[in-house]
Amino acid sequence: MSLTAKDKSVVKAFWGKVSGKADVVGAEALGRMLTAYPQTKTYFSKWADLSPGSDPVKKHGAVIMGAIGNAVGLMDNLVGGLSALSDLHAFTLRVDPGNFKILSHNILVTLAIHFPRDFTPEVHIAVDKFLAALSAALADKYR
Amino acid sequence: MVVWTDEERAAISDIFSKLDYDDVGPKCLSRCLIVYPWTQRYFGAFGNLYNAEAIMNNPLIAKHGTTVLRGLERALKNMDDIKNTYAELSILHSEKLRVDPDNFKLLSDCLTIVIAAKMGTAFTPEYQASFQKFLSVVVSALGRQYH
């Protein structure tokens, strides 16, 4: 399910609208994931407060969304562009790659809430494919 | 047996009380057929599914979307025994319709997204958790009679 030229242009155009609110979207998506999929909390045992809207969640959500925003510009070579991040997730963080899909779903839910008119079915499929390709690139070094 | 907290019951009831079946049903099904195009395999008799616009304007798809959503009402009214409430529907989906049960999750993800878009921030993380738990029980019940 590779990204077509059309997918890439749809994602870029939509991200132009999202980037202004990227921090908010990232924080909310992470908060939703920790609430609706409590098993994901196991990766954040060092944080004092795992509730949506807490400082660590807001800060980390922004970090994640920033990296995703960078990846929008790297769509022609996600595996190469995300190589260092893949090393990090594979060898240091050791996040089970199944969780990338879970976070992706929560990003989609958050985008639907904040951009109800722009997040059409065509945008949804392009962003879903982009996040899937991103997740695969992130898992590239795992084994 | 599934255990529901009072908060979960309240959240799920509230979501359904605000649901416009004739709007959300068609949007949910058409979004599923667009975002996951392989699901179109079950709709060969439904006419023009050639592109996103055709799917979104297809009256047979719209009608069926509402039907599917009305089916969820059965689970809502029998939350403490969804498993048995859906036994017949499960047999229907496995033996007559022959739907791959993995598709139930795809449709339920699309429903979550359509409802999120409609409710906006009222669809809180807690509401999302309760609603997704409800949908996962429904999906599990629908997949139970597959052999």
Side-chain angles (χ1 to χ4, degrees):
Chain A
M1 299 198 238
S2 49
L3 289 168
T4 63
K6 177 160 179 242
D7 291 328
K8 293 177 191 177
S9 76
V10 168
V11 170
K12 285 190 169 119
F14 179 66
W15 225 262
K17 298 176 181 147
V18 169
S19 56
K21 269 177 120 172
D23 287 0
V24 168
V25 170
E28 195 178 315
L30 188 58
R32 283 179 182 274
M33 183 184 80
L34 295 168
T35 307
Y37 300 87
Q39 70 272 21
T40 58
K41 292 195 286 191
T42 56
Y43 293 99
F44 301 99
S45 50
K46 298 215 172 93
W47 291 353
D49 188 353
L50 285 164
S51 55
S54 73
D55 279 342
V57 171
K58 272 169 43 183
K59 194 160 158 253
H60 199 62
V63 166
I64 294 175
M65 213 56 184
I68 293 177
N70 286 340
V72 171
L74 296 165
M75 275 190 288
D76 290 327
N77 181 15
L78 282 170
V79 170
L82 291 171
S83 175
L85 274 174
S86 183
D87 284 339
L88 177 72
H89 285 75
F91 303 118
T92 307
L93 303 175
R94 287 184 285 203
V95 176
D96 187 306
N99 293 295
F100 301 152
K101 209 165 175 194
I102 293 175
L103 181 58
S104 298
H105 168 71
N106 284 284
I107 291 171
L108 296 177
V109 170
T110 307
L111 290 173
I113 287 173
H114 288 274
F115 303 95
R117 272 167 303 279
D118 296 304
F119 196 64
T120 60
E122 286 106 325
V123 169
H124 179 166
I125 183 177
V127 175
D128 192 32
K129 286 177 75 177
F130 164 62
L131 291 175
L134 199 161
S135 301
L138 213 53
D140 191 59
K141 300 283 187 52
Y142 270 64
R143 56 177 178 172
Chain B
M1 217 194 83
V2 185
V3 177
W4 303 99
T5 65
D6 289 338
E7 287 82 12
E8 285 166 345
R9 287 181 198 271
I12 293 160
S13 294
D14 190 37
I15 291 167
F16 272 92
S17 73
K18 299 184 161 102
L19 210 53
D20 177 358
Y21 287 79
D22 295 320
D23 180 52
V24 171
K27 278 186 175 146
C28 167
L29 184 58
S30 56
R31 192 168 280 249
C32 185
L33 295 173
I34 293 165
V35 176
Y36 307 106
W38 54 92
T39 59
Q40 292 169 26
R41 73 191 301 282
Y42 304 107
F43 296 92
F46 279 64
N48 185 1
L49 301 179
Y50 190 60
N51 53 32
E53 213 190 307
I55 292 170
M56 288 192 283
N57 290 314
N58 185 315
L60 294 174
I61 294 294
K63 184 157 167 266
H64 195 68
T66 305
T67 302
V68 168
L69 207 56
R70 291 270 169 218
L72 278 182
E73 267 190 319
R74 276 195 243 185
L76 176 70
K77 294 183 171 127
N78 294 282
M79 268 176 69
D80 292 309
D81 194 15
I82 293 176
K83 194 167 69 180
N84 287 317
T85 304
Y86 273 18
E88 238 179 82
L89 270 174
S90 181
I91 294 173
L92 172 77
H93 282 76
S94 79
E95 293 185 12
K96 184 159 175 255
L97 304 175
R98 301 204 194 264
V99 177
D100 181 338
D102 284 350
N103 293 301
F104 302 147
K105 180 155 195 306
L106 300 180
L107 184 64
S108 78
D109 283 350
C110 285
L111 180 59
T112 302
I113 282 169
V114 169
I115 286 177
K118 280 205 93 164
M119 287 182 69
T121 48
F123 192 64
T124 61
E126 291 74 20
Y127 265 40
Q128 180 185 343
S130 302
F131 192 60
Q132 287 190 189
K133 178 176 167 177
F134 174 78
L135 290 178
S136 71
V137 174
V138 166
V139 163
S140 167
L142 271 177
R144 258 190 120 247
Q145 306 296 336
Y146 278 71
H147 302 292

